[in-house]
Amino acid sequence: MKVNLQNGGSNRGSGRGSNRGSNRRSGHVLSNKKLMAILSIAGMVAYVGAIGGGSTAVQAASHKRLVRPSSSSSATEERSGGEISRGPQTMTADQQIAHLLNRVTFGARPGDLEAVKAEGIRNYLASQLDPSSIAESPAVIEKVKNTPQLETSPATLIAQFREYQKENQERKRRAKDGEANPAEMRENLKKLTGQALVETRLVRAIDSKRQLQEVMTDFWYNHFNISIDKGLDHALVGAYEEQAIRPFALGRFRDLLGATCHHPAMLFYLDNWQNSKPGTMDRKGKEIGINENYARELMELHTLGVDGGYSQKDVQELARVLTGLGLAGPRVAQANGGWGYFNQQHHDFGDKVILGQQIKGSGEEEIEQCLDMLAKHPSTAHHIAYQLAQYFVADNPPKSLVDRLAAKFSQTDGNIKAVMSTLFDSSEFWDGRYNNDKYKSPFRYTVSVFRATGTEPSDYFPVAQFLRLQGQPVYGCLTPDGYKNTQSAWLNPDALMNRINFATGIGTGKAKFLSDQPVDFKTALDTVNGGKLSPHTEAVIAKAPDPLKLSLLIGSPEFMRY
């Protein structure tokens, strides 16, 4: 078996191709000879195949297992003594806790199962749904404090980025004259933006005690995705997540929709800053006009969904409503913090008709009227309900659950916390058929490895490189639909082999970027499906030398799922 450590995974669902990169600097790379020795442990080749990496047939069978009949909506929902109702296939109490930790956190840590057992499932969920009631980890507090980009106003970040661009032009001139080099320019940009933000996101995911808030922030960021690789968003992406996503992750959907709409990061990413009434001239005398990009994604991705009942004419009319909403000039930006600025001179004040409803030409009020209409639309309720059910329950979620969540969304005017409470209280969520049945994305897998092994990176750069190699660089999805959370997006043999390589470096403690040695196999066991492994996995681990048992555990089929 030849192992190519340079082939990355792909996020086919988001339209991204394979991301290729070198992990030579990661510190966890094994030689092919060593990796072969690990994989040749009795049954290991068949073991890899069992995960889904052995053959196309195995992958097809694995995909097929996800297509399940919807659970009955008449399943018992009785409550007694604080016990959670169970679906058609019941789970033991320990399985329930393990399942809960898999879905509301980025993976269990050693001791979490016993801690939740002592606290009680209902109490644990209540606190996670109210993150302000949980004392945050000192490591997270310190990291956020040392990441000023998160709280800096968009206006300041934009000014800093434009200053960087001017300096970079000078560096390019000097480089052309042999006085500077491209590495200096890249390092300058890294200091200004990306790496610090990536590290903070990873620290929060690994260490935060407010795990559901982190999971929901990840969900909503991908729902309202922007990419760090596009122009101004190099500088704005951290502030966007901190100011427009995180505060509303368990709040009202309409507030979340409005915050993302008016944040300059979104207006730049989807080009609404270039959306003006026909005949508008820019400063250089060039005519600019309607740009439909944001209007289209606002309907298709952010609210109604692709089958939400809108037409191309509706997109065109919504684009007219959004004309004039863009980026402020330096003087205005300092006054309003750099958030979206409405320029009346660029707005189309004509009347519009969207989804059969007349919108009178009134200026900025039209935008709020349309956001209200879209947030309350039944198609939006269904679209959000389906995505939440897919993220937290199954790739092909039960229709009964989607319908119930959509109804709660409409009844509560888009109260996300109420919708999540309904989801966690549903028989479908606790149906044993969905236990450990979702395949981890590279980000979830990577974070769960650190959490399960009780380790911390001393250097986050190799971790970020691994995620890039796997096809999921943090903040790096170029397309507006964000990264997928389904098996079909991430399961492929090359990416799987890279995961096993990563698991080996962490599990043996040989990865150079670890600040601490990992816990032992027995301590980590309960973090993987509550300690319940298949006979085949148990047999493979039993035959392995003690130093490799933890690596095999976090490279097992059970650990690849959640």
Side-chain angles (χ1 to χ4, degrees):
M1 182 187 298
K2 182 178 180 180
V3 180
N4 183 355
L5 296 179
Q6 300 305 312
N7 288 338
S10 66
N11 182 11
R12 293 188 294 273
S14 69
R16 287 180 58 82
S18 174
N19 284 284
R20 300 181 184 275
S22 172
N23 61 358
R24 292 182 181 275
R25 299 161 64 184
S26 301
H28 63 267
V29 179
L30 301 176
S31 67
N32 280 2
K33 184 176 180 180
K34 286 185 178 180
L35 187 55
M36 282 293 293
I38 293 168
L39 297 179
S40 64
I41 295 171
M44 193 62 189
V45 173
Y47 170 72
V48 172
I51 300 175
S55 68
T56 303
V58 171
Q59 291 187 45
S62 186
H63 286 224
K64 188 175 181 180
R65 287 191 298 110
L66 291 176
V67 182
R68 305 185 182 278
S70 298
S71 59
S72 171
S73 59
S74 62
T76 178
E77 295 188 22
E78 294 179 358
R79 311 288 188 270
S80 59
E83 184 179 0
I84 299 292
S85 67
R86 297 169 180 170
Q89 290 187 16
T90 60
M91 291 184 276
T92 66
D94 282 357
Q95 285 176 329
Q96 285 187 340
I97 296 173
H99 174 68
L100 180 68
L101 288 169
N102 265 339
R103 299 302 169 93
V104 306
T105 77
F106 280 117
R109 289 188 129 166
D112 279 357
L113 192 146
E114 292 302 320
V116 174
K117 186 183 295 186
E119 183 179 3
I121 286 178
R122 288 192 179 280
N123 291 336
Y124 176 77
L125 270 175
S127 63
Q128 287 295 320
L129 285 165
D130 183 17
S132 63
S133 69
I134 304 172
E136 186 54 286
S137 160
V140 170
I141 294 172
E142 183 67 17
K143 189 63 180 178
V144 171
K145 180 181 176 181
N146 291 324
T147 312
Q149 299 99 315
L150 299 179
E151 297 294 346
T152 303
S153 73
T156 301
L157 291 171
I158 291 172
Q160 289 175 347
F161 185 76
R162 286 174 173 159
E163 184 62 28
Y164 160 78
Q165 288 180 311
K166 292 179 182 178
E167 293 175 358
N168 205 35
Q169 288 298 319
E170 176 60 21
R171 289 189 183 92
K172 286 181 178 180
R173 185 196 64 76
R174 289 165 49 203
K176 189 175 181 181
D177 295 339
E179 300 174 16
N181 61 72
E184 179 189 0
M185 294 184 281
R186 287 194 298 270
E187 184 64 22
N188 187 275
L189 179 60
K190 187 174 77 172
K191 289 179 180 177
L192 177 66
T193 55
Q195 188 60 27
L197 297 174
V198 171
E199 288 182 12
T200 302
R201 167 70 95 88
L202 286 166
V203 168
R204 278 174 150 167
I206 295 169
D207 290 329
S208 178
K209 297 182 183 299
R210 302 168 179 177
Q211 278 287 295
L212 181 58
Q213 184 180 45
E214 295 307 311
V215 170
M216 292 300 293
T217 297
D218 177 71
F219 171 83
W220 288 119
Y221 185 92
N222 283 294
H223 183 85
F224 294 101
N225 183 63
I226 67 169
S227 174
I228 196 173
D229 293 322
K230 182 173 180 178
L232 280 179
D233 285 336
H234 276 295
L236 292 173
V237 65
Y240 171 73
E241 180 181 77
E242 193 73 11
Q243 299 163 10
I245 301 289
R246 185 175 296 276
F248 311 105
L250 285 164
R252 287 181 65 248
F253 178 77
R254 174 61 179 86
D255 295 335
L256 180 59
L257 183 66
T260 57
C261 173
H262 290 283
H263 200 281
M266 179 62 75
L267 296 173
F268 180 82
Y269 176 65
L270 287 177
D271 304 320
N272 207 73
W273 68 288
Q274 297 176 320
N275 183 24
S276 301
K277 66 180 180 182
T280 302
M281 310 297 286
D282 65 14
R283 293 179 179 178
K284 297 181 180 180
K286 182 180 178 181
E287 183 175 348
I288 54 178
I290 294 289
N291 187 303
E292 299 175 2
N293 287 356
Y294 179 49
R296 180 175 293 104
E297 307 306 352
L298 182 56
M299 285 186 160
E300 178 179 328
L301 298 177
H302 300 172
T303 57
L304 305 176
V306 66
D307 298 319
Y310 65 92
S311 66
Q312 174 58 21
K313 180 64 174 176
D314 290 320
V315 172
Q316 293 169 344
E317 293 288 88
L318 182 57
R320 291 178 60 209
V321 167
L322 293 167
T323 52
L325 180 60
L327 307 180
R331 291 182 181 178
V332 176
Q334 290 301 328
N336 77 346
W339 281 66
Y341 170 69
F342 183 74
N343 187 336
Q344 296 191 48
Q345 295 181 349
H346 291 185
H347 183 68
D348 180 345
F349 277 89
D351 293 345
K352 298 94 177 171
V353 177
I354 300 176
L355 300 172
Q357 181 172 332
Q358 186 174 35
I359 308 294
K360 299 293 291 183
S362 58
E364 195 169 5
E365 293 178 6
E366 300 170 42
I367 299 172
E368 301 310 312
Q369 184 179 350
C370 285
L371 292 180
D372 287 342
M373 176 178 63
L374 292 171
K376 292 177 181 293
H377 199 281
S379 292
T380 298
H382 182 273
H383 180 54
I384 300 302
Y386 181 89
Q387 290 199 320
L388 286 170
Q390 183 182 71
Y391 190 94
F392 284 93
V393 178
D395 287 6
N396 183 39
K399 182 179 183 299
S400 57
L401 176 61
V402 173
D403 290 346
R404 201 174 312 125
L405 297 181
K408 178 60 69 172
F409 185 96
S410 296
Q411 292 164 7
T412 62
D413 195 24
N415 184 316
I416 299 168
K417 181 177 178 180
V419 174
M420 295 307 299
S421 294
T422 300
L423 187 152
F424 294 137
D425 208 31
S426 70
S427 58
E428 291 88 347
F429 180 79
W430 299 101
D431 185 344
R433 292 179 297 175
Y434 304 122
N435 180 35
N436 216 51
D437 197 48
K438 283 187 65 67
Y439 190 78
K440 292 178 180 177
S441 70
F443 183 83
R444 183 179 283 267
Y445 173 76
T446 302
V447 172
S448 66
V449 164
F450 289 112
R451 288 179 62 81
T453 58
T455 54
E456 300 276 349
S458 57
D459 180 3
Y460 284 86
F461 184 75
V463 182
Q465 288 295 89
F466 174 71
L467 288 168
R468 185 170 292 279
L469 177 71
Q470 290 289 88
Q472 196 179 14
V474 178
Y475 301 124
C477 184
L478 292 174
T479 55
D481 51 348
Y483 290 125
K484 304 307 177 192
N485 65 86
T486 57
Q487 174 176 279
S488 61
W490 301 113
L491 179 59
N492 70 79
D494 289 332
L496 187 58
M497 293 303 296
N498 284 321
R499 288 191 186 196
I500 292 174
N501 185 15
F502 185 79
T504 304
I506 301 293
T508 59
K510 296 184 181 300
K512 295 179 180 179
F513 54 81
L514 291 180
S515 60
D516 300 297
Q517 286 296 298
V519 300
D520 59 32
F521 166 77
K522 290 183 179 179
T523 302
L525 181 59
D526 279 350
T527 69
V528 184
N529 196 29
K532 185 178 181 181
L533 307 177
S534 71
H536 183 76
T537 299
E538 288 181 340
V540 171
I541 293 177
K543 294 177 182 178
D546 286 345
L548 291 178
K549 290 185 185 297
L550 180 59
S551 296
L552 293 177
L553 180 67
I554 59 177
S556 69
E558 289 82 0
F559 193 80
M560 296 292 173
R561 298 183 176 276
Y562 68 104

